[in-house]
Amino acid sequence: MIRSINHICYSVSNLNESIYFYKDILCGDLLLIGETTAYFDIGGLWVALNEEKDIPRNEIQYSYTHTAFTIDESEYNSWYRWLKKNNVNILEGRTRDVRDKKSIYFIDPDGHKLESHTGTLENRMNYYKDTKPHMVFYK
């Protein structure tokens, strides 16, 4: 039985540049640095970086695949300003209903899509139940 997410690992092209991003921009707690790897604790989640210099990275931009981090709604504007101040590439998000809460989509130095989101799974489920009659809900 799966109990939770164990960790997330991102392939990165420049370990030092990515360490800066995850430590100084996302405020992760740096746990270790190896020759080609680094581990962080970000909000209680183990995030691993693995340097792989010679792989193509252009396909990432076409996918909606992303990792979302929870932020408090009261911190949404300060997070947005923080990312802008640090020249992080903020992506245009989709149009949202206020019941779906707020998100900031952005990318790390290798183009991995990340999101700072103010909602919860419960918020999303309730919003969908109210607005998406074509969906089938099991819980």
Side-chain angles (χ1 to χ4, degrees):
M1 176 170 102
I2 294 176
R3 297 181 184 180
S4 68
I5 292 176
N6 184 273
H7 69 277
I8 295 172
C9 181
Y10 294 116
S11 170
V12 301
S13 61
N14 182 309
L15 186 61
N16 289 330
E17 186 176 285
S18 294
I19 287 170
Y20 169 79
F21 181 85
Y22 284 86
K23 179 178 173 286
D24 295 331
I25 304 301
L26 293 187
C27 303
D29 184 18
L30 182 59
L31 303 175
L32 72 83
I33 298 175
E35 205 171 291
T36 60
T37 194
Y39 287 1
F40 291 86
D41 179 324
I42 302 177
L45 179 64
W46 168 15
V47 176
L49 305 178
N50 189 43
E51 185 176 66
E52 298 174 307
K53 293 182 182 226
D54 298 322
I55 63 168
R57 301 196 179 268
N58 58 352
E59 79 285 352
I60 295 171
Q61 65 184 315
Y62 300 108
S63 170
Y64 186 62
T65 300
H66 64 277
T67 301
F69 299 99
T70 299
I71 60 171
D72 289 332
E73 193 154 351
S74 64
E75 297 177 346
Y76 176 87
N77 290 332
S78 60
W79 261 105
Y80 188 88
R81 287 190 303 272
W82 173 252
L83 294 171
K84 286 294 260 189
K85 176 183 174 187
N86 284 281
N87 299 313
V88 173
N89 184 7
I90 297 175
L91 305 172
E92 185 175 331
R94 60 184 170 82
T95 303
R96 289 182 179 272
D97 184 288
V98 294
R99 293 171 289 180
D100 199 21
K101 304 301 178 182
K102 296 178 179 178
S103 285
I104 305 166
Y105 292 93
F106 54 99
I107 59 172
D108 78 355
D110 287 288
H112 297 108
K113 285 187 184 75
L114 304 172
E115 174 187 10
S116 293
H117 185 62
T118 64
T120 64
L121 175 58
E122 183 180 10
N123 296 141
R124 177 71 52 88
M125 295 290 284
N126 289 336
Y127 167 61
Y128 282 177
K129 285 177 182 176
D130 289 345
T131 62
K132 312 238 183 233
H134 63 280
M135 290 185 168
V136 177
F137 296 89
Y138 297 93
K139 297 207 182 222

